[in-house]
C-alpha cells in the first residue's frame, strides 16, 4: 500500500531530526537567512517610494543608512545560511553513523530467511548509497528545503502587500509554468515516477552486485549465464523506463524554465490594463510596478530550486522507506533471561519446517533424533532431501514450525542468540574468509586477547607452518600484494577458528570435499583432533568419510527414512545401501 504524503514527510523528518538540537538551530538559521534575502528588495522599495513620492525627503544620510541595511542583510543571508549548513552537516554525519550502527545491529538479529528474500544487493545498497543519500539530504537539502518553504511564503506576502494585481499576475504565470512541470512527470506524478525509477535502479544495482560476485562464472559462460541475463534484463528495464521519461521531460521542461525565467512578462499586460487615468496616481503606480519588475527575476532562481528540493525529497523517500521496511522486519524472538544449557546433548523432537508459509512440500517433516556428547551423527541423502536445513535450524537461522530443538534439554528458542552461538562451531565446505590479516580471520567472532591461543589453534588445524612462510606471517593481509590462499589452506584457517572457539557442538558440511590428497590428509588429521569428545553433526556427501559415525540418518523428501550405523544400514539393503553402491561406482569412474 503506497504511503501518504503525510507519512512520507513524517518519516523523512523523523530521521532528519534524530539530532533535534542541531537540526532545530540549523532550521532557525536557515529561516532567518531566507528572510534576510528579501530585505534588500524592501530597501529598494523604500528608496523607490522616496524617489517617486517624497523626493524632497531623500538625503545622503538616509540613502547611506538604507544601503548599509541592504548590505548587512545580504551578508547575514550568506553567513546564516553557511552556519545552517555547518550545523546540518554535523547532524548528518552523526545521524549517518547512528543509522549504520542500528542497521548493522538489526541485520544481525534478522533470520537468514529474511536476508535471502530481501537480497544482499538491496541490503548493500541501503547500507552504502542509501544511508549516504539520507546523509546528503540532511546535510545539504534540509536547510534548502526550509528555504524553499520560507521563500515563496515571504514572497507571496510581499507581492500581495505591495500590489495585489501584480502579485496575482505573477502567481498566474507560476501556475501555468507548473502545469508544464506536472506534465513532465507523466500521468502518475513525481512520486510515482521516482518509485519506478528507484525500483529499476535498485534491480540493476542488485543484478550488478550478483554479477561481480560471480564474475568467474560470467566469464566462463558469457551471455549464457543466468546472472548476465538478469543484469542485461535489468539494464533494459531501466533504459525502457528512463528514456520515455527523459523524452517527456525534454518536451515540457523547457516551457517551465522559459516561463519562470520571464515571469515579468505577465506584469506588462496587467500594467497596461490597470494603468491609472489620473496623472496624480502615476507615481504610486510606477513604484509598485517597478518594484515587482525588479522582484520578478528572483523567481527564476527560487522556483527551480524549490522544484529540485521537492525532487530530492521524493528521491530520498525511497531510501527512507527501505530503511523503515528493514527496521520493521520481524526479528527472531529472544528470551528475557540469559540461560545456558547444562550439557551439549543435541535433540530434534518431532521437528517440521517449511521455508514458505503454506508450502505444499515441507523442507522437514516430523524429524526426531538425538546426538549425545562424544558421538558423531552423519546426515546423508540426495540433493534437496533436507540435510542442510537441519544444520541451519541448529544454528537457529530459522525457527521451527512444529516440535523443538534442544541442547541439554533446553529449547534453543529459550537461549540468547550469543549463548547459542557459543555452543556451536561451524566448519563449512565453502566458508568465508575476509580481506583481513590471517590473525583476524582466525579470531573471527571471538575476542582474542592472547596471541598464543591463536597460534595453538593454528597448529591444531595444521596451518601454522604455511602461515609462518607468508610475507608477514599471521599479520599477512589476505589479498594484499598478491597473497592468496588455496582452498585447502582456507579450509584449515576455518578449522583454526573452530579450535579457537572450542564449542562443545561441531556442525560440519563435508569439510574435506574438493581437496587435493595432501590437503585432505592434513584436514582429516585436524578434524579428528577437533571432534574428540564433542557433539558432532556431519552433513555428508562422500560416504566413505562417515563410515565410522556412531549414527547415520538417511534423509529423503524431508524425512528420516533410515537410521543406524554403516554396517547395519548396508544389511538393510535400503536407501543407504543404494547410495553407498552409487558412491562406490563414482570411485571407479574415469574419462574414456
Amino acid at each position: 500500500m503506497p504511503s501518504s504524503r503525510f507519512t512520507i514527510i513524517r518519516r523523512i523528518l523523523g530521521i532528519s531530526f534524530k539530532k533535534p538540537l542541531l537540526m532545530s538551530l540549523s532550521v532557525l538559521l536557515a529561516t532567518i537567512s531566507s528572510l534576510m534575502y528579501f530585505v534588500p528588495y524592501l530597501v529598494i522599495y523604500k528608496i523607490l517610494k522616496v524617489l517617486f513620492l517624497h523626493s524632497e525627503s531623500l538625503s545622503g544620510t538616509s540613502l547611506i543608512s538604507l544601503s548599509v541595511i541592504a548590505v548587512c542583510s545580504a551578508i547575514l543571508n550568506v553567513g546564516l545560511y553557511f552556519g545552517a549548513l555547518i550545523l546540518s552537516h554535523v547532524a548528518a554525519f552523526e545521524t549517518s553513523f547512528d543509522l549504520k550502527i542500528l542497521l548493522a545491529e538489526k541485520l544481525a538479529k534478522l533470520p537468514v530467511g529474511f536476508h535471502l528474500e530481501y537480497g544482499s544487493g538491496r541490503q548493500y545498497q541501503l547500507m552504502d548509497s542509501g544511508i549516504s543519500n539520507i546523509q546528503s539530504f540532511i546535510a545539504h537539502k534540509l536547510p534548502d528545503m526550509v528555504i524553499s518553504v520560507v521563500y515563496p511564503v515571504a514572497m507571496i506576502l510581499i507581492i500581495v502587500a505591495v500590489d495585489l494585481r501584480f502579485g496575482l499576475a505573477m502567481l498566474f504565470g507560476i501556475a501555468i509554468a507548473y502545469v508544464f512541470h506536472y506534465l513532465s512527470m507523466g500521468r502518475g506524478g513525481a512520486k510515482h515516477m521516482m518509485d519506478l525509477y528507484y525500483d529499476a535502479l535498485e534491480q540493476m544495482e542488485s543484478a550488478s552486485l550478483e554479477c561481480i560476485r560471480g564474475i568467474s562464472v560470467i566469464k566462463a559462460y558469457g551471455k549464457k549465464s543466468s546472472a548476465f541475463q538478469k543484469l542485461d534484463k535489468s539494464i533494459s528495464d531501466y533504459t525502457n523506463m528512463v528514456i520515455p521519461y527523459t523524452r517527456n521531460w525534454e518536451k515540457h521542461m523547457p516551457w517551465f524554465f522559459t516561463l519562470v525565467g520571464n515571469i515579468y512578462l505577465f506584469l506588462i499586460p496587467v500594467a497596461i490594463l490597470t494603468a491609472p487615468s489620473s496623472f496624480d496616481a502615476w507615481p504610486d503606480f510606477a513604484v509598485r510596478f517597478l518594484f515587482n519588475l525588479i522582484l520578478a527575476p528572483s523567481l527564476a532562481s527560487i522556483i527551480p530550486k524549490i522544484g529540485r528540493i521537492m525532487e530530492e525529497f521524493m528521491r530520498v523517500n525511497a531510501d527512507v522507506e527501505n530503511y523503515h521496511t528493514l527496521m520493521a522486519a520481524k526479528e527472531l524472538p529472544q528470551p528475557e533471561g540469559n540461560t545456558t544449557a547444562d550439557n551439549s546433548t543435541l535433540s530434534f523432537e518431532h521437528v517440521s519446517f517449511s521455508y514458505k508459509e503454506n508450502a505444499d512440500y515441507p523442507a522437514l517433516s516430523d524429524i526426531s533424533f538425538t546426538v549425545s556428547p562424544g558421538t558423531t551423527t552423519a546426515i546423508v541423502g540426495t540433493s534437496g532431501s533436507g540435510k542442510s536445513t537441519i544444520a541451519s535450524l541448529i544454528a537457529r537461522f530459522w525457527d521451527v514450525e512444529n516440535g523443538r530443538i534442544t541442547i541439554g534439554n533446553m529449547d534453543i528458542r529459550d537461549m540468547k542468540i550469543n549463548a547459542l552461538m557459543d555452543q556451536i562451531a561451524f566448519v563449512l565446505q565453502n566458508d568465508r574468509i575476509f580481506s583481513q590479516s590471517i590473525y583476524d580471520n582466525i579470531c573471527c567472532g571471538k575476542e582474542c586477547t592472547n596471541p598464543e591461543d591463536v597460534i595453538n589453534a593454528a597448529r591444531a588445524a595444521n596451518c601454522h607452518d604455511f602461515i609462518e612462510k607468508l610475507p608477514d606471517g599471521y599479520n599477512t593481509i589476505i589479498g594484499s600484494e598478491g597473497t592468496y590462499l588455496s582452498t585447502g589452506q582456507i579450509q584449515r584457517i576455518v578449522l583454526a577458528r573452530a579450535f579457537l572457539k572450542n564449542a562443545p557442538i561441531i556442525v560440519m558440511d563435508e569439510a574435506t570435499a574438493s581437496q587435493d590428497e595432501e590437503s585432505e590428509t592434513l584436514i582429516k588429521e585436524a578434524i579428528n583432533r577437533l571432534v574428540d569428545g564433542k557433539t558432532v553433526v556431519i552433513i555428508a556427501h562422500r560416504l566413505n568419510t562417515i563410515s565410522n559415525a556412531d549414527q547415520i540418518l538417511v534423509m529423503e523428501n524431508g524425512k528420516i527414512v533410515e537410521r543406524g550405523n554403516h554396517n547395519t544400514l548396508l544389511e538393510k539393503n535400503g536407501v543407504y545401501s543404494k547410495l553407498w553402491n552409487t558412491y562406490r561406482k563414482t570411485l571407479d569412474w574415469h574419462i574414456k
Side-chain angles (χ1 to χ4, degrees):
M1 182 177 178
S3 302
S4 65
R5 290 183 180 273
F6 175 77
T7 302
I8 293 170
I9 294 172
R10 180 172 56 81
R11 282 178 175 175
I12 294 176
L13 293 182
I15 283 184
S16 300
F17 277 81
K18 283 187 176 294
K19 302 297 176 182
L21 180 59
L22 288 172
M23 289 310 302
S24 297
L25 289 174
S26 177
V27 168
L28 178 62
L29 294 182
T31 301
I32 298 173
S33 170
S34 305
L35 297 176
M36 289 298 104
Y37 176 84
F38 292 101
V39 172
Y41 288 101
L42 295 176
V43 168
I44 292 172
Y45 181 60
K46 175 69 174 177
I47 293 173
L48 287 174
K49 287 183 70 174
V50 172
L51 283 174
F52 281 84
L53 303 177
H54 311 287
S55 57
E56 68 281 355
S57 64
L58 182 64
S59 64
T61 303
S62 61
L63 189 59
I64 292 174
S65 298
L66 290 172
S67 300
V68 170
I69 292 173
V71 172
C72 290
S73 61
I75 293 173
L76 282 173
N77 169 247
V78 176
L80 292 173
Y81 177 66
F82 184 69
L85 286 178
I86 291 176
L87 292 172
S88 65
H89 272 73
V90 174
F93 295 145
E94 293 183 2
T95 300
S96 175
F97 176 82
D98 291 345
L99 291 180
K100 289 194 174 186
I101 294 297
L102 289 172
L103 191 58
E105 291 175 348
K106 180 70 177 183
L107 290 173
K109 296 176 183 177
L110 293 173
V112 173
F114 176 86
H115 295 290
L116 294 176
E117 183 177 346
Y118 195 82
S120 59
R122 293 180 66 188
Q123 293 179 44
Y124 173 79
Q125 189 275 335
L126 178 58
M127 179 66 82
D128 184 51
S129 59
I131 291 182
S132 294
N133 291 339
I134 294 173
Q135 173 187 304
S136 177
F137 178 82
I138 297 172
H140 298 276
K141 306 305 177 184
L142 196 62
D144 287 345
M145 191 175 75
V146 173
I147 291 173
S148 71
V149 172
V150 175
Y151 268 2
V153 172
M155 178 169 285
I156 289 171
L157 291 175
I158 290 172
I159 60 180
V160 169
V162 170
D163 193 290
L164 182 60
R165 297 165 298 179
F166 294 126
L168 291 175
M170 284 196 285
L171 291 176
F172 178 70
I174 294 171
I176 295 177
Y178 267 97
V179 169
F180 287 100
H181 188 277
Y182 175 78
L183 292 174
S184 70
M185 295 297 171
R187 295 181 179 180
K191 183 182 184 303
H192 176 70
M193 185 58 62
M194 287 297 169
D195 288 342
L196 291 176
Y197 172 78
Y198 272 100
D199 182 64
L201 183 63
E202 189 177 87
Q203 295 298 326
M204 186 169 62
E205 289 179 343
S206 181
S208 299
L209 184 61
E210 186 176 334
C211 275
I212 292 171
R213 286 174 173 170
I215 190 63
S216 58
V217 178
I218 300 296
K219 290 176 72 66
Y221 288 92
K223 288 194 174 183
K224 293 183 179 179
S225 169
S226 60
F228 188 91
Q229 292 172 2
K230 182 178 178 181
L231 175 61
D232 187 58
K233 181 180 182 302
S234 66
I235 293 173
S236 298
D237 291 343
Y238 177 80
T239 303
N240 294 334
M241 180 268 155
V242 169
I243 289 180
Y245 167 63
T246 303
R247 288 173 176 168
N248 190 61
W249 195 90
E250 289 177 344
K251 186 189 302 182
H252 297 102
M253 287 305 287
W255 287 100
F256 171 77
F257 286 108
T258 300
L259 290 169
V260 168
N262 298 277
I263 206 75
Y264 64 89
L265 295 175
F266 288 88
L267 299 176
I268 296 175
V270 174
I272 294 173
L273 294 172
T274 62
S277 56
S278 172
F279 180 79
D280 294 336
W282 263 96
D284 181 65
F285 177 79
V287 168
R288 297 171 188 273
F289 176 66
L290 287 173
F291 173 73
N292 282 281
L293 206 60
I294 293 170
L295 185 63
S298 65
L299 291 172
S301 61
I302 293 175
I303 292 178
K305 187 174 185 178
I306 295 172
R308 287 192 297 270
I309 295 301
M310 290 301 104
E311 289 175 12
E312 289 290 338
F313 194 85
M314 301 308 299
R315 184 176 290 120
V316 78
N317 170 64
D319 296 308
V320 172
E321 196 160 352
N322 286 339
Y323 177 82
H324 277 278
T325 298
L326 201 149
M327 293 301 291
K330 186 178 180 180
E331 302 174 4
L332 281 174
Q334 290 271 21
E336 293 294 332
N338 191 12
T339 55
T340 56
D342 295 331
N343 58 69
S344 60
T345 300
L346 173 67
S347 294
F348 274 57
E349 300 175 7
H350 303 288
V351 170
S352 296
F353 172 75
S354 298
Y355 287 100
K356 292 184 179 181
E357 293 184 6
N358 303 318
D360 294 332
Y361 301 99
L364 296 179
S365 180
D366 196 25
I367 299 295
S368 296
F369 65 89
T370 298
V371 187
S372 301
T375 66
T376 298
T377 293
I379 303 173
V380 303
T382 56
S383 297
S385 59
K387 304 187 300 294
S388 298
T389 301
I390 289 177
S392 298
L393 293 179
I394 294 173
R396 208 185 167 200
F397 291 165
W398 289 271
D399 270 341
V400 300
E401 295 169 356
N402 297 305
R404 67 176 192 152
I405 302 171
T406 64
I407 295 177
N409 294 320
M410 178 175 292
D411 194 319
I412 62 174
R413 289 170 293 190
D414 295 331
M415 301 171 65
K416 292 282 190 182
I417 291 297
N418 289 339
L420 175 61
M421 290 298 100
D422 287 340
Q423 297 288 314
I424 307 170
F426 283 87
V427 181
L428 305 178
Q429 181 179 340
N430 295 311
D431 216 332
R432 183 177 180 83
I433 60 172
F434 304 95
S435 297
Q436 299 174 326
S437 68
I438 299 288
Y439 185 93
D440 289 335
N441 267 283
I442 296 176
C443 290
C444 179
K446 183 178 178 65
E447 185 177 352
C448 299
T449 56
N450 186 2
E452 195 63 33
D453 292 339
V454 177
I455 294 174
N456 289 335
R459 284 197 174 102
N462 287 336
C463 59
H464 174 74
D465 291 341
F466 82 75
I467 292 175
E468 287 286 280
K469 296 176 182 179
L470 295 175
D472 296 313
Y474 283 85
N475 294 320
T476 301
I477 306 296
I478 296 175
S480 66
E481 300 180 359
T483 303
Y484 296 96
L485 303 181
S486 68
T487 55
Q489 291 171 329
I490 290 173
Q491 198 62 43
R492 280 178 274 166
I493 295 292
V494 172
L495 284 168
R497 288 177 184 169
F499 275 107
L500 185 65
K501 189 173 186 180
N502 194 28
I505 299 174
I506 308 294
V507 178
M508 305 179 64
D509 185 359
E510 197 59 87
T512 61
S514 304
Q515 305 295 339
D516 59 79
E517 292 182 1
E518 181 182 0
S519 293
E520 184 174 347
T521 301
L522 293 171
I523 291 171
K524 283 181 177 179
E525 289 177 359
I527 289 175
N528 287 334
R529 286 192 288 268
L530 176 66
V531 302
D532 186 29
K534 307 286 188 180
T535 302
V536 183
V537 176
I538 299 179
I539 309 301
H541 307 283
R542 302 170 69 178
L543 299 187
N544 67 323
T545 62
I546 51 95
S547 58
N548 293 326
D550 300 285
Q551 177 181 216
I552 299 174
L553 306 178
V554 184
M555 301 289 299
E556 195 172 70
N557 298 324
K559 298 179 180 180
I560 298 176
V561 293
E562 293 178 356
R563 69 178 75 204
N565 60 34
H566 175 71
N567 293 328
T568 302
L569 291 173
L570 286 180
E571 290 174 0
K572 289 182 178 180
N573 198 27
V575 177
Y576 181 79
S577 179
K578 292 179 181 178
L579 290 173
W580 177 258
N581 291 330
T582 302
Y583 173 72
R584 290 293 299 270
K585 290 179 181 178
T586 64
L587 298 179
D588 299 328
W589 177 86
H590 62 276
I591 297 176
K592 292 182 179 181

